[in-house]
Amino acid sequence: MYPAGPAWPKLRVLRAMWALLAVLLAPGRLWAKEDIQECIWHVVLIKFEAVGEEGRSDRFFDLEPLETLDSVFSLLVDAPTDQNEKYLGFPYYLKINYSCGGESSEAQVRKGHLTGLKPLVLVTFQSPVNFHRWKIEQLQIQMEGAPFRSKAEQCNAEEVCAMSWYTPMPIKNGSVVMYVDVSSNGLGPFIQNKRFHVNINGFLQKQQDNTLQFTVGNEIFNLIPRYFINVPSRPLWHTVDQTPVLILGGIPDEKSVLLTDTSFTDFFLVELNIDSCWVGSFYCPQASFTATIYDAIATESTLFIRQNQLVYYFTGTYVTLHESNQGSGSWVRVLANECIKKLCPVYAHSNGSEYVMALTTGKREGYVHFGTITDGRVSFELLPRQRSVCEGLQVMNCSIIWAVFIAGDYNLLLLVQMEDPTTRKYFQVVSYDLVSGFESSEPQEVLPCSPPVVVGNHLAILYTIPEFIPDARGLEFLMLLGTETHTTFLMVPKGMFYNQYSNLLYIWGNFLLQSYNYENFIYLADFPKEQSIKYLVNSFRGDMAIVTETEEIWYLLEGSYRMYKLFPSRGWEVHINLQVMHQSSVYTPNETMVTLFYEDTKLYQLVYLMKNQQGQLVKRHVPVEQLLMYQQLSNHYFFERQGSHLTLSFTNFCPFSVMRLRDLPNPQVYSRQERYQARPPRVVEPSGFHSENSLAVYQGLVYYLLCLHSEHHKVDAWRGPGLVRGGPYADPVHDSTWRWSNKKQDQDYYFYLASNSQSPGNVYIDMASYEKIYDLKADYELPERIFLDKGTSYVFSVFLRVGGQSLEFTPERVLTSEELKSTVDLGVVLADPGCIEAVVRQKFLINRNSVLFRVTLSDKRSCFDQGLSGHHLLETSMLLKVAGAVGHCFQNTHQGPRMQGNLMVPVLIGCPPGKRLAFDITYTLQYNRLQNKHYFDCVRVDPEMPCFLFRDVFYPFFLIQDLVTGDSGSFQGSYVLKVVGGGPTLDTIREYSEEEIYRFNSPLDKTHSLIWTTKNTTTTKDSAFNIMSHQSLGIEWLCLENSPCYDTIPHTIFAPEFFFKVLVSNRGVDKSTYCDYQLIFLLHIHGLPLSAKRAFFILMVSSSVFIGLVTLYIVFCLLLPVMVKAWNSLRWKINNIIMSESYYTYTSPSRNCSGTSETRSTVSSRVGSSDSSKVAEANQRAPEQTWKKKPLVT
């Protein structure tokens, strides 16, 4: 039996009284709390269509946005919404209520609502692993719960029977881990803040009946006691802070695992769909077959398991991570021809990937399979690449016991067991460099304090572990120099652990060694050599718990050397007795610890309880501070006689009574935390309860707010300023919501409608409720992490007061400065003192018996080159230690005691997330107009992309925009400007090759291909490119004959235009920042000159055409009178011919008639001849009259 707590002792009255006295009378005791009901928040996830339903909880599975909100937003005519915008919503709500001890939850929630209580929900999105695909950002959104009546079947109340608060559950691309912090607005009952893990489960699939089923196996609903009773606990391995689904194996003789997406707030027992085959052979030393899953590791999207000597992995379906449905259909077996004896976890991700290591045995003994997981794709590499570790160390028999990957140095640390025929077994720590190799040399003897010895094949022996456990002679720790004496107990190492923040390496077995440089080790003597460590649990915030083979729990604060036994201990007995008095349901006499893990710097147990023959698996908090306090009080008390009676007194070993942090700067500058605020729309209904439509409006507004944030963070090189949010051209207002906020000009009208109950849809949207918060204040504690750019500093103060704990109202003695100096002292431990430095200045406040320490943490400008925003940051840490405070100083809070005197903060050195370079188009236009005395825009004005004239000198300016704090200032550093693409139109822009980029931009070019030049003489080290700055003399456009902009053919009558694709980068030339700023934007240049040949050709053609037209005009003017006269003459002749023909046609038929007719014909002919003679005379006069009048008669 492996109990998580001792067997219940018989409740002796004396021991119980001692426990009560220890708690009630100690100077460092817990507060005498007021009679306040303990209330706790409850949060469940429900689907969009299930709002108002009681007793329902859904899994976080559907990720597609809802497109059913148009009907709701179409009603909001007179509201600050865009009717042309398509509003979407999230598929889930968070349902929030609370309960207090002994009273029904419904009554409590109604009471809280009537007294003004509103839950405040802060959703924090965890940044993804792959920063190459997704932008690194620390994003939060704060919402307020909207009250909603539950859809109760029977309710006799006039207003409400049951109710809850609802907020949208937002989803962000690239994030699968989300933290939900619920707090009170300060009204109503006192409810402690609580954090919930709401993670996306990518290992579910929807069936035809709309039920959810696991893709990794079949869920088992019966927790059989034999799965947990008498079963040793096992470690919970996963990528820290990045894993949405945790997996825990170790269930005997079953291929089943515990799976959770809420950090074991709830969980599932799943039988895995694996083949369970066993490939035993002469080179796979497998003693027996079992179905037990021995090793289980969870990463961001992939699960790994080891059964016997087989390794499987399963990739979940995460559309928000991979942008495609590429999850595994079944478990994939890897390393099929290998014998795997152990999986080793890598707790930290790096370079956009996660890692896992598989140790081999049998024919591949001495090798490590190094696995890399990127976007769910798994690949393994056999290391060492050339020969095994045994061959590299030139030993016959060796075995790799453990492996640790150090991402910062990109090497492996291997714990290797050697077997020499002439000596006993011995162990060495060997380093394998994954990048560079070393010269081969013969292996040498390595003493514990000797420098590393390079043995070739990229291997180096760092440390040889002593054969026997050192004799500490009563000391808490011992520096191993090779000269110490030893006991007769053999040192049997079993594993290693590395903390990337503190740079501490631990080697553990039946001892515990720690080292800051992997070469010099310190032996921690408090751990008993009779015990053996089974696994370590680290919070990566300075706390570490140790579990032994006998299920003992030990505690160690990093940076100190004192170890504390938490279980079993006298402090645990006191805690158990108090839990019996409180009738706690999570402590029973018969219990078994399943695993131990840290969550949000707090230590938790997963415990299997047996109560009344019923088994239950629960997650419970391990109160480390309370156990240490109980243990201190029970060990350091004495009786003091006052008069005729004895009084119980306690010794206080804490050197101070009060510790506070002061002068803390605004946290967002250093924590890089972006926060939005989104309150629910107000409803016109007098009771204040929301409807389904108003909640849908809330969904759409939160979705739209996050869309504005996403668009503002994007960089689009193909558009200009103005309408493109977050493009390379700087916005007029540096805020993602400024365009939406423009509707604030009508907010008085909207408020008027709401005041008169005339708001459309009975919903009033207050624009001030949807904004980005830039002025968060420090909450009297250090930020969760500190980002430092080049040369930046973080400054704060630590206030320590001495004395002042006495219950008696007696004057306090004023201490001198020397007494204060000898009483309290503050130290700072830096994990990388070569990269950061700390300066501490103390000021004595004599009249207050206090000391004020001014701490300045600064970057030393030496350990980082340049990188993109949020990429490849150097991880280190700062530890504040008050001398003598470890295990002795506690602060009493409403949440219980909290340890004081030790503060560990991760420090990330490099380019902080949320910074970018933008083209300052506004100031560029102003300065160019001032310097060139004019500004000519294009004929066709584009407000999104202003033009610049070719013949003018171009003066570009850039901004550094801080998306976290909202600051925006001129870029004062140096940069290199290159034209990397271009074309005469937007549709014909092409990318230039590297060779073309050199020819078009380098001042060393001899091919007459330069596009531009400058009068600056500063160049890069190889003189290949010019170095520009905000003080540069400007750019002169050249477009020489071999450049792409030379001889641009105009498509209109206006001068030619050209679009340049410009790259601006400060990499390698700017010494003022760690940020590698890269900006690509389009520059529109007009008025380009033509080439000489084309200009001469156009001149000749134009001149020829002009001369021809002039000649033609002159000829036309000279020949016009002659042509008119000839035309008139010709026309006269044609008229005569026509008249004569018509006369003869009239007279010819009369010749065949009678005499009478003949006589008449003669008379007629005479008359006709006389008439024709008159016509002829008239025709002769006609030309003269025509010339005089110049009519054209037809």
Side-chain angles (χ1 to χ4, degrees):
M1 185 107 180
Y2 294 86
W8 289 88
K10 295 180 180 179
L11 193 59
R12 293 187 288 270
V13 176
L14 181 60
R15 177 171 294 185
M17 291 300 297
W18 274 114
L20 289 176
L21 287 174
V23 174
L24 296 177
L25 301 180
R29 69 192 182 279
L30 293 172
W31 298 352
K33 295 185 179 180
E34 298 179 6
D35 189 14
I36 299 177
Q37 266 190 320
E38 292 189 0
C39 302
I40 57 174
W41 293 107
H42 301 284
V43 173
V44 295
L45 192 74
I46 64 169
K47 296 292 291 292
F48 180 88
E49 60 274 9
V51 61
E53 297 183 9
E54 290 294 327
R56 174 165 177 170
S57 177
D58 294 301
R59 312 305 307 175
F60 209 160
F61 170 72
D62 292 329
L63 304 179
E64 293 297 325
L66 300 176
E67 300 181 359
T68 59
L69 304 184
D70 287 340
S71 59
V72 177
F73 277 87
S74 62
L75 302 176
L76 306 180
V77 179
D78 288 331
T81 56
D82 189 355
Q83 292 296 317
N84 298 323
E85 185 76 30
K86 184 177 179 61
Y87 287 90
L88 303 176
F90 299 105
Y92 293 97
Y93 283 106
L94 288 175
K95 178 182 176 182
I96 308 163
N97 50 39
Y98 71 96
S99 62
C100 301
E103 192 169 351
S104 66
S105 175
E106 293 182 1
Q108 282 291 335
V109 172
R110 289 197 303 268
K111 178 181 177 181
H113 173 66
L114 294 176
T115 54
L117 173 65
K118 290 183 180 180
L120 303 179
V121 178
L122 181 65
V123 178
T124 303
F125 300 95
Q126 183 66 36
S127 296
V129 169
N130 190 358
F131 53 75
H132 301 291
R133 177 186 293 271
W134 304 103
K135 185 177 291 293
I136 298 299
E137 57 183 357
Q138 316 291 324
L139 181 62
Q140 295 178 327
I141 181 169
Q142 181 174 312
M143 298 173 288
E144 184 181 281
F148 185 85
R149 295 186 184 93
S150 299
K151 299 177 181 178
E153 296 182 359
Q154 294 181 356
C155 180
N156 298 324
E158 181 178 353
E159 284 291 339
V160 59
C161 287
M163 60 159 289
S164 298
W165 290 276
Y166 290 85
T167 66
M169 180 59 219
I171 303 173
K172 176 181 171 294
N173 283 335
S175 181
V176 295
V177 175
M178 282 149 283
Y179 306 105
V180 176
D181 294 281
V182 183
S183 59
S184 169
N185 64 342
L187 301 177
F190 174 77
I191 310 176
Q192 294 184 8
N193 302 345
K194 190 172 182 180
R195 166 167 284 194
F196 299 86
H197 290 253
V198 183
N199 303 330
I200 299 175
N201 194 332
F203 302 94
L204 296 170
Q205 64 180 1
K206 185 174 293 186
Q207 303 299 312
Q208 295 182 353
D209 57 354
N210 290 329
T211 60
L212 296 180
Q213 181 179 352
F214 285 100
T215 56
V216 296
N218 301 317
E219 183 178 357
I220 300 175
F221 298 95
N222 186 17
L223 297 179
I224 302 177
R226 74 171 182 87
Y227 291 166
F228 306 100
I229 297 179
N230 294 330
V231 177
S233 67
R234 48 275 193 193
L236 182 65
W237 289 340
H238 58 95
T239 306
V240 177
D241 297 332
Q242 300 294 149
T243 308
V245 176
L246 301 177
I247 184 173
L248 183 66
I251 298 177
D253 300 324
E254 297 290 340
K255 55 179 182 180
S256 302
V257 296
L258 289 173
L259 190 143
T260 177
D261 54 14
T262 59
S263 189
F264 286 105
T265 301
D266 53 17
F267 51 85
F268 306 92
L269 182 63
V270 181
E271 183 182 15
L272 304 182
N273 295 329
I274 55 177
D275 47 19
S276 299
C277 62
W278 175 49
V279 285
S281 64
F282 68 93
Y283 61 81
C284 279
Q286 182 75 17
S288 61
F289 166 75
T290 178
T292 306
I293 306 299
Y294 286 106
D295 299 330
I297 301 176
T299 65
E300 187 179 41
S301 60
T302 306
L303 305 178
F304 290 87
I305 62 169
R306 179 181 69 87
Q307 184 191 49
N308 299 312
Q309 295 174 338
L310 308 179
V311 177
Y312 301 84
Y313 77 86
F314 196 105
T315 300
T317 302
Y318 288 98
V319 180
T320 58
L321 276 181
H322 309 143
E323 294 184 335
S324 63
N325 189 356
Q326 61 176 26
S328 301
S330 60
W331 286 93
V332 180
R333 181 180 168 188
V334 292
L335 308 175
N337 298 322
E338 303 292 335
C339 301
I340 306 302
K341 64 179 179 182
K342 185 185 292 292
L343 293 180
C344 293
V346 178
Y347 296 98
H349 62 92
S350 64
N351 198 29
S353 300
E354 298 166 284
Y355 307 96
V356 65
M357 292 174 289
L359 306 183
T360 60
T361 187
K363 67 175 183 177
R364 293 279 194 177
E365 190 73 64
Y367 285 94
V368 176
H369 288 278
F370 187 72
T372 303
I373 307 100
T374 305
D375 281 343
R377 297 184 297 271
V378 179
S379 61
F380 279 91
E381 181 184 7
L382 186 65
L383 300 176
R385 298 183 179 94
Q386 299 176 1
R387 51 182 176 170
S388 69
V389 174
C390 303
E391 295 173 348
L393 299 178
Q394 299 183 13
V395 294
M396 294 297 296
N397 296 318
C398 78
S399 177
I400 300 177
I401 299 177
W402 201 272
V404 169
F405 175 59
I406 302 179
D409 301 330
Y410 206 65
N411 61 11
L412 293 179
L413 295 185
L414 307 175
L415 181 60
V416 184
Q417 174 183 326
M418 314 288 185
E419 293 187 12
D420 194 329
T422 60
T423 61
R424 298 182 180 180
K425 295 180 181 179
Y426 64 97
F427 300 87
Q428 288 183 332
V429 178
V430 179
S431 171
Y432 175 71
D433 196 331
L434 277 72
V435 180
S436 60
F438 299 96
E439 296 294 333
S440 298
S441 62
E442 294 295 328
Q444 304 176 18
E445 181 182 2
V446 181
L447 299 176
C449 59
S450 61
V453 176
V454 179
V455 296
N457 196 26
H458 301 196
L459 292 173
I461 300 176
L462 300 180
Y463 184 72
T464 298
I465 299 175
E467 183 178 2
F468 296 98
I469 293 179
D471 186 3
R473 300 178 181 270
L475 301 176
E476 291 183 357
F477 67 95
L478 185 65
M479 185 73 185
L480 300 183
L481 302 176
T483 59
E484 61 276 352
T485 59
H486 297 81
T487 65
T488 58
F489 287 85
L490 290 173
M491 296 188 79
V492 184
K494 299 174 62 177
M496 296 189 299
F497 179 85
Y498 175 73
N499 186 339
Q500 74 274 12
Y501 292 111
S502 61
N503 288 340
L504 276 174
L505 175 67
Y506 294 93
I507 304 177
W508 49 269
N510 59 342
F511 60 92
L512 185 61
L513 301 180
Q514 74 174 22
S515 172
Y516 283 97
N517 59 1
Y518 326 140
E519 301 170 13
N520 302 306
F521 283 82
I522 298 174
Y523 169 66
L524 302 183
D526 283 344
F527 185 77
K529 51 185 174 295
E530 297 81 12
Q531 293 288 339
S532 180
I533 298 175
K534 182 162 54 174
Y535 59 90
L536 304 182
V537 182
N538 199 293
S539 68
F540 296 94
R541 294 297 185 271
D543 304 280
M544 186 168 67
I546 300 167
V547 180
T548 67
E549 295 289 350
T550 58
E551 305 300 336
E552 290 185 355
I553 302 176
W554 290 72
Y555 174 77
L556 173 66
L557 196 64
E558 288 190 356
S560 66
Y561 310 106
R562 178 74 184 275
M563 299 182 65
Y564 299 91
K565 187 178 180 181
L566 299 182
F567 165 77
S569 65
R570 295 187 63 180
W572 185 271
E573 292 180 6
V574 173
H575 177 66
I576 288 294
N577 293 333
L578 294 177
Q579 295 303 316
V580 171
M581 297 178 185
H582 284 89
Q583 299 181 350
S584 175
S585 61
V586 295
Y587 291 88
T588 61
N590 190 3
E591 57 185 29
T592 302
M593 183 172 70
V594 179
T595 189
L596 188 74
F597 61 95
Y598 273 99
E599 176 189 319
D600 303 327
T601 70
K602 293 183 179 180
L603 188 62
Y604 289 90
Q605 282 179 311
L606 187 64
V607 185
Y608 186 77
L609 308 176
M610 286 296 297
K611 189 174 183 179
N612 300 327
Q613 303 301 319
Q614 296 292 327
Q616 183 184 10
L617 200 61
V618 298
K619 169 187 172 183
R620 73 184 184 196
H621 173 52
V622 180
V624 176
E625 293 82 359
Q626 286 185 351
L627 296 178
L628 295 179
M629 181 181 292
Y630 296 154
Q631 199 163 331
Q632 175 184 340
L633 297 176
S634 61
N635 293 333
H636 303 92
Y637 64 90
F638 60 93
F639 292 98
E640 185 179 25
R641 178 172 295 277
Q642 292 185 357
S644 60
H645 60 277
L646 296 176
T647 60
L648 183 65
S649 299
F650 298 87
T651 304
N652 182 19
F653 292 96
C654 184
F656 58 87
S657 60
V658 176
M659 178 178 179
R660 295 192 184 99
L661 297 178
R662 292 184 174 181
D663 305 324
L664 292 171
N666 289 343
Q668 288 178 292
V669 180
Y670 299 95
S671 66
R672 312 307 298 168
Q673 197 78 57
E674 297 183 73
R675 181 177 295 186
Y676 286 87
Q677 176 181 270
R679 298 191 185 95
R682 301 179 186 177
V683 292
V684 180
E685 183 182 354
S687 63
F689 287 104
H690 282 251
S691 63
E692 294 186 8
N693 285 347
S694 62
L695 288 180
V697 171
Y698 196 15
Q699 281 272 12
L701 294 177
V702 173
Y703 191 99
Y704 185 61
L705 184 63
L706 292 181
C707 286
L708 291 177
H709 164 81
S710 178
E711 293 178 3
H712 186 67
H713 274 245
K714 290 179 181 178
V715 175
D716 187 351
W718 298 100
R719 300 297 299 277
L723 299 180
V724 181
R725 288 178 279 265
Y729 285 41
D731 281 332
V733 180
H734 181 39
D735 188 353
S736 56
T737 63
W738 73 274
R739 288 178 180 82
W740 191 20
S741 300
N742 285 342
K743 295 182 178 293
K744 287 184 177 180
Q745 60 186 356
D746 300 326
Q747 61 182 355
D748 293 336
Y749 171 67
Y750 303 139
F751 180 76
Y752 170 79
L753 293 178
S755 302
N756 292 275
S757 302
Q758 299 296 323
S759 295
N762 292 328
V763 172
Y764 167 57
I765 301 175
D766 185 7
M767 294 301 301
S769 299
Y770 302 88
E771 60 182 353
K772 190 172 185 179
I773 303 176
Y774 294 110
D775 56 349
L776 289 177
K777 303 301 179 183
D779 195 18
Y780 301 103
E781 61 183 13
L782 295 175
E784 185 178 353
R785 60 184 66 88
I786 296 176
F787 291 86
L788 291 181
D789 198 355
K790 195 170 190 176
T792 57
S793 301
Y794 182 82
V795 183
F796 62 100
S797 300
V798 180
F799 175 82
L800 296 176
R801 184 179 180 183
V802 179
Q805 289 186 343
S806 176
L807 296 178
E808 301 178 3
F809 295 97
T810 59
E812 197 173 355
R813 187 175 72 88
V814 178
L815 303 178
T816 64
S817 59
E818 292 298 328
E819 290 176 322
L820 289 174
K821 187 175 182 179
S822 62
T823 303
V824 292
D825 199 6
L826 180 69
V828 180
V829 180
L830 303 178
D832 289 282
C835 302
I836 55 178
E837 63 179 355
V839 177
V840 181
R841 294 182 175 88
Q842 60 182 358
K843 179 180 179 181
F844 299 103
L845 307 177
I846 304 297
N847 58 338
R848 302 176 61 182
N849 281 351
S850 304
V851 183
L852 186 66
F853 294 92
R854 185 75 169 177
V855 182
T856 302
L857 178 68
S858 304
D859 171 67
K860 298 178 69 173
R861 299 174 172 262
S862 59
C863 288
F864 196 82
D865 186 13
Q866 277 183 299
L868 300 179
S869 178
H871 291 202
H872 305 290
L873 300 173
L874 174 63
E875 297 176 336
T876 182
S877 65
M878 174 191 67
L879 175 63
L880 292 177
K881 295 180 57 177
V882 179
V886 177
H888 297 142
C889 298
F890 304 92
Q891 180 187 17
N892 299 306
T893 68
H894 61 275
Q895 296 179 350
R898 186 175 64 177
M899 196 174 301
Q900 277 193 315
N902 289 267
L903 296 174
M904 188 269 195
V905 182
V907 180
L908 303 176
I909 302 175
C911 183
K915 285 192 173 183
R916 71 178 182 189
L917 187 68
F919 182 35
D920 190 358
I921 184 62
T922 304
Y923 187 71
T924 298
L925 289 174
Q926 294 176 359
Y927 192 82
N928 278 264
R929 181 181 288 109
L930 178 65
Q931 294 296 318
N932 296 317
K933 310 301 181 183
H934 60 261
Y935 172 69
F936 297 106
D937 205 343
C938 289
V939 177
R940 297 178 180 176
V941 178
D942 184 0
E944 298 185 11
M945 190 182 302
C947 293
F948 295 91
L949 192 62
F950 178 86
R951 69 170 182 264
D952 290 343
V953 179
F954 177 61
Y955 301 92
F957 290 91
F958 302 93
L959 290 174
I960 297 298
Q961 293 183 334
D962 194 328
L963 302 176
V964 177
T965 63
D967 297 332
S968 181
S970 176
F971 176 55
Q972 304 292 323
S974 302
Y975 61 91
V976 173
L977 186 145
K978 302 177 185 177
V979 177
V980 297
T985 63
L986 288 174
D987 297 330
T988 59
I989 293 178
R990 71 176 183 90
E991 304 284 340
Y992 298 150
S993 64
E994 291 295 329
E995 188 269 338
E996 288 177 322
I997 292 175
Y998 179 85
R999 290 193 296 109
F1000 299 158
N1001 299 274
S1002 175
L1004 301 180
D1005 176 66
K1006 304 301 182 182
T1007 62
H1008 301 284
S1009 303
L1010 279 179
I1011 293 178
W1012 62 277
T1013 187
T1014 180
K1015 295 181 180 180
N1016 292 345
T1017 59
T1018 307
T1019 61
T1020 56
K1021 294 181 179 180
D1022 56 358
S1023 301
F1025 299 100
N1026 292 297
I1027 297 179
M1028 310 285 292
S1029 70
H1030 69 288
Q1031 297 177 343
S1032 297
L1033 300 178
I1035 291 175
E1036 297 179 8
W1037 302 106
L1038 297 179
C1039 289
L1040 298 183
E1041 56 185 348
N1042 292 325
S1043 65
C1045 57
Y1046 176 76
D1047 195 20
T1048 302
I1049 302 175
H1051 297 281
T1052 63
I1053 63 173
F1054 303 108
E1057 300 177 350
F1058 206 88
F1059 293 88
F1060 292 113
K1061 189 175 183 181
V1062 180
L1063 168 66
V1064 175
S1065 174
N1066 71 332
R1067 183 167 185 81
V1069 297
D1070 186 13
K1071 306 302 182 183
S1072 64
T1073 179
Y1074 287 137
C1075 291
D1076 179 9
Y1077 293 122
Q1078 291 187 6
L1079 173 67
I1080 298 178
F1081 64 97
L1082 288 184
L1083 196 60
H1084 192 182
I1085 303 298
H1086 71 115
L1088 273 71
L1090 301 173
S1091 65
K1093 292 182 179 180
R1094 187 175 300 278
F1096 180 73
F1097 173 76
I1098 293 177
L1099 177 61
M1100 293 301 295
V1101 173
S1102 301
S1103 300
S1104 300
V1105 172
F1106 177 74
I1107 293 173
L1109 292 175
V1110 172
T1111 303
L1112 182 60
Y1113 177 75
I1114 294 173
V1115 171
F1116 177 76
C1117 291
L1118 294 176
L1119 297 179
L1120 181 60
V1122 179
M1123 293 174 63
V1124 171
K1125 185 176 181 179
W1127 166 252
N1128 290 332
S1129 176
L1130 178 61
R1131 184 168 57 89
W1132 178 74
K1133 292 179 180 180
I1134 292 175
N1135 287 335
N1136 287 338
I1137 296 172
I1138 292 175
M1139 293 299 296
S1140 61
E1141 286 294 331
S1142 56
Y1143 168 74
Y1144 287 114
T1145 303
Y1146 173 74
T1147 56
S1148 58
S1150 62
R1151 295 180 180 179
N1152 297 325
C1153 296
S1154 59
T1156 307
S1157 299
E1158 189 176 330
T1159 304
R1160 293 178 179 176
S1161 298
T1162 302
V1163 176
S1164 300
S1165 64
R1166 292 176 181 176
V1167 175
S1169 62
S1170 63
D1171 293 337
S1172 60
S1173 63
K1174 294 179 181 180
V1175 171
E1177 293 176 359
N1179 289 336
Q1180 290 178 356
R1181 295 191 299 267
E1184 298 178 0
Q1185 299 175 358
T1186 303
W1187 180 257
K1188 295 178 180 178
K1189 299 180 180 180
K1190 296 183 180 179
L1192 294 178
V1193 182
T1194 56

